[in-house]
Amino acid sequence: LTPFSASEDMRSTWQGKAGRSPLQALYESDQFEQSSLQAVHQQRREMLSNVCSRYTRKRRLLQPDDLRHLVVDDTHGLLYCYVPKVACTNWKRVMMVLTGQGKYQDPLDIPAHEAHVPSNLRTLSEYSVPEINYRLRSYLKFVFVREPFERLVSAYRNKFTLSYNTAFHKRYGTKIIRRHRREPSDRALERGDDVRFEEFVYYLLDPRTQQEEPFNEHWERVHSLCHPCIIHYDVVGKYETLAEDANYILQLVGADTSVKFPASSKTTRTTDDMTAQFFQDISPFYQRRLFNLYKMDYLLFNYSIPSYLRIR
């Protein structure tokens, strides 16, 4: 397999419809003249670059398998690396509207399960090597991130505490209970539907877990899914500023003004306080080990160590 070159910085390579880069167009637009968003995103890119240069000694080359999370919109020149539990269902819906040639008008008209059907969106891994290199060099690339432990608890709640997620209970729950519960009942071993958060943590930290197979995408680290030290993302959006960052990206690529990112209406979403409750029963020893497992995501995306952790 031929590896791919990492992309260059957007400012010199991404050419918009008028032959200017989106940032140039942005600087020249009255609408964004006083925009503090530019500065925010510049800081995020610089932070990412600094951490990458400090912690990655050797740059490896991308393989096709590294590109499965990069969704392509050839119409607007857009690459989106999706991260589960960071509004990725809504972003996939928006990408279906952007790439659908008028087939979809409103992202919220698209059922959630349809947004995750692989054939509805193309990923960068499906293209030839020259096409991949061209898109990495020329398209606007973005990713959305979230406070790592909040995302982790969100994944746990969604996959292990909801009765309808039987595929996850069978696939992961039964294994977690078998390995990390003392004297499990026959019912628990068969169904795997009552995994405790503490057991989930033991599973993540068990060396056998990653030796046997990669982490599931719902709890895999962002740096392993999206390779931000190899692919130079032009915009790093944050779950905490989702609405502003989403609108910023849609304006950057000149999306039709009728395309709106869906407003978040979920009242069940995992918050910092809720995450703190889940960590109450995790010992400081395991808290530290888990933090070390997700440390690169904390560093790369400038999240501070949660105040509820007892690891100082």
Side-chain angles (χ1 to χ4, degrees), residues 181-195:
R181 183 176 299 181
R182 285 182 186 161
E183 300 176 6
S185 68
D186 291 342
R187 182 196 174 280
L189 284 170
E190 186 195 344
R191 297 174 66 130
D193 61 355
D194 65 343
V195 171

Side-chain angles (χ1 to χ4, degrees), residues 3 12 26 61 107 120 184 226 233 258 288:
S12 60
L26 205 58
L61 291 166
N120 283 335
C226 294
Y233 288 95
S258 65
R288 176 172 284 287

